[in-house]
Amino acid sequence: NEMRIIYIMHSCFAVEIEDTLLLFDYFDKSRTPEVDFQGELPDFSNYKKHYIFSSHGHRDHFWLESLKWGMEYPDMVFFLGNDMRFNRKYLERNGIDFSVKERMITARRGETYDMGELKVQALGSNDAGVSFLVHYGGKTIFHAGDLNDWSWYVRKGETHDEAYRRRMREEFRKELEPLLGVHMDAAFVVMDMRLEERYKNGIDYFLHTMDADAVFPMHLWGRYDLIPQYKKELILAGGPELAKKVMDIREENQIFEL
């Protein structure tokens, strides 16, 4: 099976396998004014099956309105991180038909959701919600959500110490343990410039430790220049084979054929 991946924006990717769409972490562009995101959704009518993944409820990973798509596409299934709760009243107040609720699966860390041809494993996060390991059409895909080596020195005006950074690193590596020895066709992994020179810590550990054919940096806040910078560092450190695995994302709605 061929797999086509569309980088939409930030941490949002569309994965096409045959007539099926897997969409990860789409969000409302108007809620992230600090970056002028322009990514466009693929045309849903081009697919027979639609699986929508939202790792957690942060403004740059989830859009409440997306649940309305389920009213138009009665086959559409949503996998939602367990930090989000939607009762009937809340959905109806937001104009979302309660019938969609039956197709909204709350993904909990350590659980596997077997839908026959689709199998979804919810892994943990050291931030909010979950990360996803998805098996479909003979392909295995990992989306990290906000799981990362968040080694902040200062975050939102708050200074963090070395013990905090060590704990974040340990939690990040622990949550990734279920991936050891798993072959992934594609992985979407955080690379965040707000961590300054530590922007690459998470993705670097992932590349050196996990078995993934194509690794897509995400959560870049538009800083695509970090990708060639990191690849150059990798090559200088004697890792040209690893550098080849890192996908060269340059712009929104870029298409990768794998």
Side-chain angles (χ1 to χ4, degrees):
N1 280 355
E2 300 243 315
M3 177 166 64
R4 194 163 176 252
I5 293 177
I6 306 166
Y7 165 67
I8 295 178
M9 55 187 174
H10 200 44
S11 303
C12 177
F13 292 85
V15 179
E16 301 176 355
I17 301 170
E18 294 174 350
D19 56 4
T20 299
L21 171 70
L22 312 173
L23 180 71
F24 293 90
D25 282 18
Y26 186 77
F27 62 97
D28 175 3
K29 300 186 264 262
S30 71
R31 296 197 54 208
T32 50
E34 61 267 56
V35 177
D36 181 23
F37 289 117
Q38 298 286 335
E40 293 297 331
L41 283 168
D43 182 350
F44 288 170
S45 65
N46 290 338
Y47 308 95
K48 284 206 177 103
K49 295 176 193 147
H50 311 81
Y51 298 104
I52 312 297
F53 298 84
S54 300
S55 61
H56 62 290
H58 288 175
R59 66 192 170 108
D60 57 328
H61 291 265
F62 174 66
W63 188 35
L64 182 63
E65 291 286 306
S66 66
L67 297 172
K68 290 183 180 171
W69 304 335
M71 289 150 64
E72 194 181 339
Y73 293 91
D75 71 308
M76 189 176 274
V77 177
F78 298 86
F79 291 89
L80 304 162
N82 63 341
D83 60 321
M84 297 186 270
R85 291 278 184 279
F86 306 96
N87 62 26
R88 181 175 205 136
K89 245 195 188 128
Y90 181 78
L91 290 173
E92 287 176 349
R93 198 168 65 235
N94 285 284
I96 298 153
D97 198 299
F98 190 65
S99 65
V100 177
K101 178 98 167 126
E102 292 165 11
R103 290 174 277 125
M104 289 163 55
I105 295 166
T106 300
R108 288 181 172 65
R109 176 184 186 269
E111 298 286 315
T112 298
Y113 305 89
D114 197 336
M115 323 266 298
E117 56 184 348
L118 175 81
K119 191 169 133 200
V120 178
Q121 289 170 257
L123 275 58
S125 177
N126 58 350
D127 191 351
V130 297
S131 48
F132 291 110
L133 184 64
V134 180
H135 309 272
Y136 186 86
K139 302 288 184 193
T140 299
I141 298 142
F142 175 67
H143 190 287
D146 261 352
L147 172 62
N148 187 35
D149 184 340
W150 292 115
S151 43
W152 298 105
Y153 275 78
V154 180
R155 170 77 172 133
K156 293 182 175 170
E158 193 184 337
T159 306
H160 293 295
D161 60 8
E162 195 51 49
Y164 167 88
R165 287 188 287 280
R166 190 167 56 244
R167 190 175 78 246
M168 288 309 259
R169 179 170 307 121
E170 285 166 3
E171 286 176 11
F172 167 65
R173 294 180 177 191
K174 190 174 182 340
E175 298 299 358
L176 285 176
E177 278 175 11
L179 297 181
L180 289 166
V182 174
H183 174 75
M184 291 163 270
D185 297 281
F188 308 112
V189 184
V190 175
M191 180 186 273
D192 195 315
M193 54 86 185
R194 298 172 305 168
L195 292 165
E196 298 169 355
E197 73 276 10
R198 298 167 311 285
Y199 75 96
K200 60 181 184 197
N201 284 12
I203 199 166
D204 196 62
Y205 175 79
F206 187 94
L207 262 176
H208 282 90
T209 315
M210 302 302 164
D211 173 17
D213 291 345
V215 177
F216 291 81
M218 66 175 187
H219 216 266
L220 286 151
W221 299 101
R223 287 287 309 275
Y224 305 115
D225 58 299
L226 292 179
I227 300 175
Q229 179 185 320
Y230 172 56
K231 291 181 75 160
K232 202 192 275 175
E233 287 176 37
L234 261 182
I235 291 163
L236 288 172
E241 290 310 308
L242 291 179
K244 280 181 197 155
K245 295 180 171 206
V246 180
M247 297 290 108
D248 294 305
I249 297 177
R250 295 185 192 93
E251 59 186 3
E252 292 167 341
N253 291 101
Q254 188 176 341
I255 295 168
F256 297 85
E257 310 272 356
L258 296 183

